[in-house]
Amino acid sequence: MDIIKQIDEAKIFIVNLPLIEPFETSLEVETHKAALLLKLKSGDCSGWGECVSSPDPFYSYETNETAVYIIKNYLLPILKKKQEFSINEVMNEFEMVRGHNMAKATVENALLDLLAKKCALPLYQVVGGKNKEIMSGISVGIKKDPNDLIQSINDAKKKNYHRIKIKIKKGEEITPLRLIRKAFPDIKLMVDANADYSIEDLELLRQLDDYDLMMIEQPLAYNDLYCHSKLQKELSTPICLDESIKNLTDVELAINLGSCEIVNIKQGRVGGILKAKAMQEYCLKKKIAVWSGGMLETGIGRAFNIHLQTLPGFTLPGDTSETSRYFKEDIVEPSIKLSPEGYIKIPEGDGIGVEIIPERLKRFTISSERLV
Ligand SMILES: [Mg+2]
């Protein structure tokens, strides 16, 4: 059942979707989502994957261009050689390429979608998920005007999002937090620093303990588990790691060093759904809560994140929001909508359960290339 026959066609697309409003973090301001999509075809079935890289190497060293390079020159040649294969088998062979987990996840995702479609099953059933719906969460970018921030949170609260995350940057965090807590003393709130602080900022970071935060996401450098472990001992607020976690070894190290109490598992950042599943299983055993972060994905990447969150370790709301929060028009249907209680239904149908709209794909594509 888990065998895929030879890949007959592989095509990559770069699409550029305008965001409804610019999204600012401590790293950059994004006005468009430039996404790398991969379509793999075997027989009558096609599967789609989306790379979570960006055009620039700010969040990660991987970019859309490095991902295309790795997929084209290293990952697809492994696939092309095979008459029949399992996804685990090719993922093991992909290990000969160091890092480049975003590129690997793109291929893995497309293969999983393909396999699930071949089996006529929704993806979550193929990967062992159970839940029929997941919690929602929203990530609010840095706002110049505090009224805009309050407005965004008010809108999210009305929609019953299960938690609200705000992006913060060093020196500009206390004023917005004070305003938010004054206006909304009870909302489930967390902050994401995208590695903007260092351990020298301990006194400033200590002040965050006053705002009843669910967690502080990635306060320190992406490559510094040691200082995160020192910081966690000084704070009562749990630290959640995002950029620091690239694979299961990082999770084991972070948990055993005491560098975090929560892990953000972005399947697109850690090499795909199967790797993410192994990480959530480890965290579940260690009683470490996990959630699924977002990378402003189009409806394709977002669908994978939704299916992932049906696994049992995902006990905290993630970054999955309504489509209309980011895009006026997505390249897939149906779009994601919240139930009145703020939940998201798992898409029905085979594979990821969303359909690419060819006219929109064509309109938003800025370049494409057939690789096989
Ligand atoms: Mg983050």
Side-chain angles (χ1 to χ4, degrees):
M1 169 170 153
D2 61 345
I3 296 296
I4 297 177
K5 293 224 166 88
Q6 195 173 33
I7 297 298
D8 312 312
E9 189 185 325
K11 202 169 173 188
I12 49 165
F13 301 82
I14 304 282
V15 294
N16 202 26
L17 271 69
L19 292 171
I20 285 174
E21 55 175 16
F23 190 78
E24 181 172 349
T25 68
S26 64
L27 304 168
E28 60 187 323
V29 181
E30 289 173 88
T31 57
H32 285 73
K33 173 65 190 179
L36 162 59
L37 308 177
L38 173 70
K39 180 187 181 186
L40 295 178
K41 194 164 170 284
S42 170
D44 298 336
C45 289
S46 293
W48 285 84
E50 173 174 348
C51 194
V52 299
S53 56
S54 312
D56 303 303
F58 301 148
Y59 172 88
S60 156
Y61 66 87
E62 291 191 79
T63 66
N64 290 345
E65 278 188 69
T66 67
V68 170
Y69 181 81
I70 294 293
I71 291 170
K72 190 173 164 177
N73 295 298
Y74 295 96
L75 307 182
L76 281 182
I78 291 173
L79 274 189
K80 268 196 303 192
K81 279 193 290 195
K82 300 195 177 288
Q83 298 295 314
E84 285 191 339
F85 59 90
S86 72
I87 298 177
N88 273 326
E89 174 191 334
V90 291
M91 292 310 288
N92 284 339
E93 290 190 41
F94 286 178
E95 293 292 317
M96 74 192 297
V97 174
R98 285 198 188 174
H100 296 280
N101 289 338
M102 294 180 176
K104 290 173 184 169
T106 312
V107 180
E108 188 249 32
N109 283 188
L111 290 173
L112 276 173
D113 184 32
L114 183 60
L115 177 68
K117 282 175 178 152
K118 191 180 129 262
C119 300
L121 288 171
L123 177 63
Y124 75 96
Q125 289 187 19
V126 172
V127 296
K130 294 269 183 291
N131 303 333
K132 295 278 185 275
E133 58 183 14
I134 59 160
M135 289 178 282
S136 64
I138 196 163
S139 176
V140 179
I142 294 167
K143 307 275 185 192
K144 301 263 177 301
D145 183 345
N147 293 322
D148 291 345
L149 181 64
I150 296 297
Q151 181 65 49
S152 295
I153 293 175
N154 206 26
D155 293 345
K157 197 170 171 264
K158 277 195 211 143
K159 292 234 168 205
N160 287 325
Y161 276 100
H162 294 110
R163 67 102 166 108
I164 294 165
K165 153 164 136 183
I166 63 161
K167 294 285 186 176
I168 56 168
K169 67 177 167 189
K170 187 170 145 182
E172 296 177 23
E173 64 295 271
I174 302 300
T175 309
L177 281 174
R178 204 176 285 145
L179 284 169
I180 293 170
R181 273 301 179 219
K182 206 173 149 210
F184 311 102
D186 302 324
I187 56 165
K188 284 195 167 175
L189 181 68
M190 59 173 285
V191 296
D192 184 2
N194 288 106
D196 208 36
Y197 299 79
S198 76
I199 196 72
E200 278 76 50
D201 301 312
L202 178 60
E203 289 315 310
L204 179 54
L205 288 163
R206 233 194 266 280
Q207 292 180 48
L208 299 181
D209 276 343
D210 298 340
Y211 297 94
D212 188 25
L213 302 173
M214 296 170 77
M215 69 196 89
I216 304 169
E217 187 178 347
Q218 196 70 43
L220 310 181
Y222 71 94
N223 54 0
D224 198 343
L225 291 178
Y226 173 61
C227 281
H228 276 105
S229 76
K230 288 210 290 188
L231 180 63
Q232 183 64 88
K233 288 185 187 73
E234 300 293 328
L235 300 182
S236 56
T237 308
I239 290 176
C240 169
L241 291 176
D242 174 2
E243 286 94 319
S244 291
I245 304 296
K246 301 170 295 303
N247 49 51
L248 181 59
T249 310
D250 289 337
V251 175
E252 290 167 349
L253 197 55
I255 292 174
N256 288 303
L257 275 173
S259 309
C260 66
E261 293 176 7
I262 297 170
V263 178
N264 170 353
I265 300 181
K266 287 180 180 161
Q267 64 88 19
R269 185 197 63 223
V270 302
I273 296 257
L274 302 177
K275 302 272 183 197
K277 188 181 175 190
M279 291 160 70
Q280 74 85 32
E281 281 167 0
Y282 179 81
C283 289
L284 195 59
K285 241 191 291 166
K286 291 281 182 179
K287 298 193 169 54
I288 294 285
V290 307
W291 55 277
S292 162
M295 295 288 285
L296 308 180
E297 292 96 336
T298 75
I300 297 175
R302 208 171 293 265
F304 282 97
N305 295 343
I306 290 175
H307 285 277
L308 175 72
Q309 290 172 76
T310 63
L311 294 171
F314 288 84
T315 52
L316 290 170
D319 280 337
T320 314
S321 308
E322 286 193 319
T323 308
S324 61
R325 152 96 180 110
Y326 297 106
F327 307 114
K328 207 191 261 173
E329 250 184 332
D330 198 347
I331 50 170
V332 304
E333 287 288 347
S335 55
I336 296 163
K337 290 195 175 69
L338 302 195
S339 73
E341 296 79 30
Y343 288 90
I344 296 170
K345 271 210 165 63
I346 312 307
E348 301 287 339
D350 302 343
I352 50 174
V354 294
E355 290 292 328
I356 312 286
I357 308 298
E359 182 275 323
R360 294 189 205 162
L361 177 67
K362 199 171 161 201
R363 186 152 38 97
F364 290 120
T365 294
I366 51 174
S367 66
S368 64
E369 188 181 353
R370 187 167 167 173
L371 304 177
V372 174

PDB file of all heavy atoms in Angstrom, residues 59 165 167 192 194 217-218 242-243 264 266, ligand 1:
ATOM      1  N   TYR A  59      15.231  33.898   7.787  1.00  0.00           N
ATOM      2  CA  TYR A  59      14.703  32.957   8.786  1.00  0.00           C
ATOM      3  C   TYR A  59      15.580  31.707   8.811  1.00  0.00           C
ATOM      4  O   TYR A  59      15.852  31.133   9.859  1.00  0.00           O
ATOM      5  CB  TYR A  59      13.244  32.605   8.448  1.00  0.00           C
ATOM      6  CG  TYR A  59      12.669  31.498   9.292  1.00  0.00           C
ATOM      7  CD1 TYR A  59      12.058  31.763  10.514  1.00  0.00           C
ATOM      8  CD2 TYR A  59      12.769  30.173   8.876  1.00  0.00           C
ATOM      9  CE1 TYR A  59      11.546  30.737  11.286  1.00  0.00           C
ATOM     10  CE2 TYR A  59      12.265  29.137   9.648  1.00  0.00           C
ATOM     11  CZ  TYR A  59      11.656  29.423  10.852  1.00  0.00           C
ATOM     12  OH  TYR A  59      11.160  28.408  11.615  1.00  0.00           O
ATOM     13  N   LYS A 165      -0.727  35.193  19.001  1.00  0.00           N
ATOM     14  CA  LYS A 165       0.722  35.395  19.135  1.00  0.00           C
ATOM     15  C   LYS A 165       1.049  36.740  18.531  1.00  0.00           C
ATOM     16  O   LYS A 165       0.517  37.097  17.479  1.00  0.00           O
ATOM     17  CB  LYS A 165       1.411  34.257  18.386  1.00  0.00           C
ATOM     18  CG  LYS A 165       2.792  34.526  17.842  1.00  0.00           C
ATOM     19  CD  LYS A 165       3.439  33.191  17.498  1.00  0.00           C
ATOM     20  CE  LYS A 165       4.147  33.220  16.160  1.00  0.00           C
ATOM     21  NZ  LYS A 165       4.708  31.904  15.807  1.00  0.00           N
ATOM     22  N   LYS A 167       4.332  39.174  17.259  1.00  0.00           N
ATOM     23  CA  LYS A 167       5.762  39.247  16.973  1.00  0.00           C
ATOM     24  C   LYS A 167       6.325  40.419  17.772  1.00  0.00           C
ATOM     25  O   LYS A 167       5.687  41.476  17.885  1.00  0.00           O
ATOM     26  CB  LYS A 167       5.983  39.478  15.472  1.00  0.00           C
ATOM     27  CG  LYS A 167       5.530  38.310  14.607  1.00  0.00           C
ATOM     28  CD  LYS A 167       6.516  37.156  14.691  1.00  0.00           C
ATOM     29  CE  LYS A 167       6.138  36.047  13.726  1.00  0.00           C
ATOM     30  NZ  LYS A 167       7.137  34.965  13.728  1.00  0.00           N
ATOM     31  N   ASP A 192       6.633  36.060  19.970  1.00  0.00           N
ATOM     32  CA  ASP A 192       7.682  35.423  19.160  1.00  0.00           C
ATOM     33  C   ASP A 192       8.732  36.477  18.820  1.00  0.00           C
ATOM     34  O   ASP A 192       8.429  37.481  18.182  1.00  0.00           O
ATOM     35  CB  ASP A 192       7.064  34.852  17.873  1.00  0.00           C
ATOM     36  CG  ASP A 192       8.081  34.092  17.026  1.00  0.00           C
ATOM     37  OD1 ASP A 192       9.254  33.959  17.440  1.00  0.00           O
ATOM     38  OD2 ASP A 192       7.698  33.629  15.924  1.00  0.00           O
ATOM     39  N   ASN A 194      11.714  35.787  17.226  1.00  0.00           N
ATOM     40  CA  ASN A 194      12.563  35.406  16.081  1.00  0.00           C
ATOM     41  C   ASN A 194      14.046  35.699  16.345  1.00  0.00           C
ATOM     42  O   ASN A 194      14.735  36.296  15.509  1.00  0.00           O
ATOM     43  CB  ASN A 194      12.098  36.099  14.797  1.00  0.00           C
ATOM     44  CG  ASN A 194      10.787  35.532  14.271  1.00  0.00           C
ATOM     45  OD1 ASN A 194       9.747  36.170  14.386  1.00  0.00           O
ATOM     46  ND2 ASN A 194      10.819  34.314  13.737  1.00  0.00           N
ATOM     47  N   GLU A 217       8.559  32.595  22.327  1.00  0.00           N
ATOM     48  CA  GLU A 217       9.106  31.770  21.244  1.00  0.00           C
ATOM     49  C   GLU A 217      10.442  32.347  20.782  1.00  0.00           C
ATOM     50  O   GLU A 217      10.550  33.544  20.511  1.00  0.00           O
ATOM     51  CB  GLU A 217       8.091  31.736  20.088  1.00  0.00           C
ATOM     52  CG  GLU A 217       8.469  30.794  18.980  1.00  0.00           C
ATOM     53  CD  GLU A 217       7.408  30.766  17.871  1.00  0.00           C
ATOM     54  OE1 GLU A 217       6.292  31.274  18.071  1.00  0.00           O
ATOM     55  OE2 GLU A 217       7.726  30.247  16.795  1.00  0.00           O
ATOM     56  N   GLN A 218      11.407  31.462  20.690  1.00  0.00           N
ATOM     57  CA  GLN A 218      12.742  31.746  20.140  1.00  0.00           C
ATOM     58  C   GLN A 218      13.285  33.128  20.534  1.00  0.00           C
ATOM     59  O   GLN A 218      13.506  33.986  19.690  1.00  0.00           O
ATOM     60  CB  GLN A 218      12.707  31.630  18.611  1.00  0.00           C
ATOM     61  CG  GLN A 218      14.106  31.509  17.972  1.00  0.00           C
ATOM     62  CD  GLN A 218      14.793  30.185  18.260  1.00  0.00           C
ATOM     63  OE1 GLN A 218      14.194  29.135  18.207  1.00  0.00           O
ATOM     64  NE2 GLN A 218      16.066  30.256  18.587  1.00  0.00           N
ATOM     65  N   ASP A 242      11.803  27.456  18.032  1.00  0.00           N
ATOM     66  CA  ASP A 242      11.344  27.360  16.643  1.00  0.00           C
ATOM     67  C   ASP A 242      12.579  27.194  15.751  1.00  0.00           C
ATOM     68  O   ASP A 242      12.976  26.062  15.415  1.00  0.00           O
ATOM     69  CB  ASP A 242      10.538  28.636  16.310  1.00  0.00           C
ATOM     70  CG  ASP A 242      10.118  28.748  14.858  1.00  0.00           C
ATOM     71  OD1 ASP A 242      10.399  27.832  14.067  1.00  0.00           O
ATOM     72  OD2 ASP A 242       9.492  29.762  14.480  1.00  0.00           O
ATOM     73  N   GLU A 243      13.252  28.301  15.429  1.00  0.00           N
ATOM     74  CA  GLU A 243      14.397  28.249  14.513  1.00  0.00           C
ATOM     75  C   GLU A 243      15.497  27.284  14.974  1.00  0.00           C
ATOM     76  O   GLU A 243      16.237  26.741  14.145  1.00  0.00           O
ATOM     77  CB  GLU A 243      15.021  29.652  14.346  1.00  0.00           C
ATOM     78  CG  GLU A 243      14.224  30.620  13.487  1.00  0.00           C
ATOM     79  CD  GLU A 243      13.299  31.512  14.308  1.00  0.00           C
ATOM     80  OE1 GLU A 243      12.665  31.011  15.277  1.00  0.00           O
ATOM     81  OE2 GLU A 243      13.183  32.709  13.969  1.00  0.00           O
ATOM     82  N   ASN A 264       7.969  24.182  18.861  1.00  0.00           N
ATOM     83  CA  ASN A 264       7.209  24.516  17.655  1.00  0.00           C
ATOM     84  C   ASN A 264       7.745  23.628  16.528  1.00  0.00           C
ATOM     85  O   ASN A 264       8.890  23.783  16.106  1.00  0.00           O
ATOM     86  CB  ASN A 264       7.411  26.010  17.346  1.00  0.00           C
ATOM     87  CG  ASN A 264       6.868  26.415  15.975  1.00  0.00           C
ATOM     88  OD1 ASN A 264       6.441  25.567  15.186  1.00  0.00           O
ATOM     89  ND2 ASN A 264       6.900  27.704  15.698  1.00  0.00           N
ATOM     90  N   LYS A 266       7.591  22.852  12.882  1.00  0.00           N
ATOM     91  CA  LYS A 266       7.150  23.214  11.533  1.00  0.00           C
ATOM     92  C   LYS A 266       7.598  22.079  10.632  1.00  0.00           C
ATOM     93  O   LYS A 266       8.800  21.923  10.390  1.00  0.00           O
ATOM     94  CB  LYS A 266       7.800  24.517  11.084  1.00  0.00           C
ATOM     95  CG  LYS A 266       7.239  25.734  11.773  1.00  0.00           C
ATOM     96  CD  LYS A 266       7.915  27.009  11.305  1.00  0.00           C
ATOM     97  CE  LYS A 266       7.298  28.204  12.033  1.00  0.00           C
ATOM     98  NZ  LYS A 266       8.143  29.394  11.993  1.00  0.00           N
TER      99      LYS A 266
HETATM  100 MG    MG B   1       8.562  31.570  15.190  1.00  0.00          MG
END
